[in-house]
Amino acid sequence: MTTIDGNLQSERQGLPSRLSAALEAGLAALFAGFMNALEILVRPIERRLGMERIGYFFVLPNLLIFGIFVLFPMLLNFYISFTSGTEIYPQDRSFVGFGNYEFLFDCENVFEPNSCNEDLFWRGVYNSIFFVVVQVSGMVLVSLVTALVLNGKIRARGFFRSVFFYPVLLSPVVVALIWKWILQRDGVLNSLLIALGGDRVQFLVNADWAMLWVIVISIWALMGFYTLILLAGLQAIPAELYEAGQIDGTGRWQSFRFITMPLLMPTMFVVLVLSLIRAVQVFDQVYALTGGGPGTTTHFIVQYIYTVGFSSSIKRFGLAAAASVLLGATLLVLTLLQLRAARSNESG
């Protein structure tokens, strides 16, 4: 009786392993059948194109998607920037050459937006420049400090890394709505100020406060992504260099200045370029938070493009396209300058 029970128990224990083996065998057979069918389809194409050109066949779907959804809209936008009218179809629009660009730059003094025919465009330009300079500088500084702290030996380091990265996973509109709930007239922050005996502050209505909070919220929402990049760069620095520096008697500041920063500089350039491109294109988060107000305080260049081309009663597609071409050209120039500086820094 004991032998029979032992055999039954051993069979029960061996059943999961047999099921697992059968499942693996089934998946292997399915994969082999799929690969054989794929080979039957690809083999004639390989014979026709040859081994050297077969790679183009595999990247063709991605090239088609890129061409249809990226390259073609870019070229169409470039053409529309030379046209005028409210019609949507290009063949129905009148060709005006550089008329849209001339209208944007028709100013007595470009440093005085009120002297321009399209003053809203230049207000967006100057607001964007101010936002980019302050936000990118703050973003790089805060991300660097956070990465240095998280790279050290602190308790619950993995938890804090997740906490700082979590806002990146949120939608920009969700971030804006959360902070709008905090900063509005009867929001959480004003309730706290009143409870502490202070006065209510119009954070999103006052011009100075609105721009400040737009910058702060943008840094809060995106710093986790750039912190992760800088943290990867810090961890790529060999620990032997710091050990050698300690033997030579270098302090923390000297190690940071002569070891960390020079070796982290390529990563810093990557963060600078990415944050610069992202800052110039800021729109959705600010639009949901302030709507570009108060007045035109937080009205940026992308919002101008959206307003002129889509949300206004008279949709001036040509003018919006011309502004977007100028924005794209500016981004291209800035990126090339940053990459050139990065190469010269590496070669130097």
Side-chain angles (χ1 to χ4, degrees), residues 96-140:
V96 295
F98 289 96
N100 291 317
Y101 296 95
E102 293 174 356
F103 184 77
L104 289 176
F105 284 92
D106 187 4
C107 299
E108 295 179 5
N109 184 1
V110 294
F111 297 105
E112 291 291 339
N114 292 331
S115 67
C116 301
N117 279 339
E118 198 64 13
D119 61 320
L120 195 60
F121 170 75
W122 288 101
R123 292 184 188 279
V125 169
Y126 290 126
N127 287 339
S128 297
I129 292 173
F130 178 80
F131 177 83
V132 167
V133 172
V134 179
Q135 193 263 3
V136 171
S137 302
M139 180 76 73
V140 174

Side-chain angles (χ1 to χ4, degrees), residues 300-317:
F300 299 115
I301 184 65
V302 178
Q303 184 173 346
Y304 168 81
I305 297 170
Y306 169 76
T307 302
V308 170
F310 298 99
S311 68
S312 61
S313 57
I314 301 176
K315 297 174 175 57
R316 296 178 291 175
F317 299 116

Side-chain angles (χ1 to χ4, degrees), residues 20-339:
S20 178
L23 181 61
E24 290 179 1
L27 291 176
L30 183 63
F31 180 74
F34 174 75
M35 294 304 295
N36 290 333
L38 185 63
E39 183 179 2
I40 293 173
L41 294 174
V42 174
R43 185 68 68 181
I45 300 174
E46 181 184 348
R47 293 196 194 99
R48 188 172 185 83
L49 297 179
M51 281 297 296
E52 295 181 355
R53 293 190 293 270
I54 189 63
Y56 295 104
F57 170 76
F58 290 106
V59 300
L60 182 61
N62 283 334
L63 291 178
L64 287 175
I65 293 174
F66 178 82
I68 293 173
F69 295 103
V70 178
L71 184 60
F72 174 72
M74 288 174 58
L75 296 176
L76 182 61
N77 180 78
F78 185 73
Y79 170 75
I80 290 177
S81 69
F82 295 101
T83 63
S84 179
T86 59
E87 294 80 6
I88 296 178
Y89 296 104
Q91 63 270 19
D92 298 331
R93 300 178 60 82
S94 57
F95 187 81
V96 295
F98 289 96
N100 291 317
Y101 296 95
E102 293 174 356
F103 184 77
L104 289 176
F105 284 92
D106 187 4
C107 299
E108 295 179 5
N109 184 1
V110 294
F111 297 105
E112 291 291 339
N114 292 331
S115 67
C116 301
N117 279 339
E118 198 64 13
D119 61 320
L120 195 60
F121 170 75
W122 288 101
R123 292 184 188 279
V125 169
Y126 290 126
N127 287 339
S128 297
I129 292 173
F130 178 80
F131 177 83
V132 167
V133 172
V134 179
Q135 193 263 3
V136 171
S137 302
M139 180 76 73
V140 174
L141 179 61
V142 173
S143 300
L144 177 61
V145 172
T146 307
L148 290 170
V149 173
L150 294 178
N151 193 48
K153 297 179 181 179
I154 60 174
R155 292 183 179 180
R157 183 169 57 179
F159 169 76
F160 286 111
R161 289 178 181 177
S162 303
V163 167
F164 281 106
F165 189 76
Y166 179 73
V168 181
L169 304 178
L170 299 176
S171 166
V173 176
V174 172
V175 171
L177 293 178
I178 291 173
W179 279 96
K180 190 172 185 178
W181 173 66
I182 295 173
L183 298 173
Q184 62 187 352
R185 186 178 185 276
D186 297 321
V188 176
L189 187 54
N190 270 320
S191 299
L192 182 61
L193 290 175
I194 293 173
L196 295 175
D199 297 327
R200 182 179 280 108
V201 180
Q202 303 285 0
F203 292 110
L204 300 180
V205 178
N206 184 280
D208 297 330
W209 281 109
M211 178 61 81
L212 174 64
W213 278 109
V214 162
I215 295 171
V216 170
I217 293 170
S218 177
I219 294 174
W220 177 86
L222 299 174
M223 60 168 288
F225 175 70
Y226 303 110
T227 297
L228 193 65
I229 297 175
L230 292 173
L231 188 60
L234 289 172
Q235 293 179 346
I237 299 175
E240 293 81 4
L241 296 177
Y242 294 106
E243 294 174 358
Q246 290 178 354
I247 294 173
D248 293 338
T250 57
R252 289 187 177 181
W253 168 249
Q254 291 177 323
S255 296
F256 174 77
R257 180 181 177 184
F258 297 108
I259 299 177
T260 303
M261 284 306 298
L263 296 178
L264 193 63
M265 196 56 67
T267 309
M268 289 282 290
F269 272 113
V270 172
V271 169
L272 186 62
V273 171
L274 293 178
S275 60
L276 183 65
I277 294 173
R278 184 68 178 266
V280 173
Q281 300 179 86
V282 64
F283 168 63
D284 44 4
Q285 183 174 295
V286 179
Y287 189 75
L289 183 66
T290 65
T296 57
T297 303
T298 58
H299 186 94
F300 299 115
I301 184 65
V302 178
Q303 184 173 346
Y304 168 81
I305 297 170
Y306 169 76
T307 302
V308 170
F310 298 99
S311 68
S312 61
S313 57
I314 301 176
K315 297 174 175 57
R316 296 178 291 175
F317 299 116
L319 205 60
S324 64
V325 169
L326 294 174
L327 176 62
T330 303
L331 285 172
L332 179 62
V333 171
L334 290 174
T335 304
L336 292 177
L337 290 175
Q338 295 286 350
L339 293 177

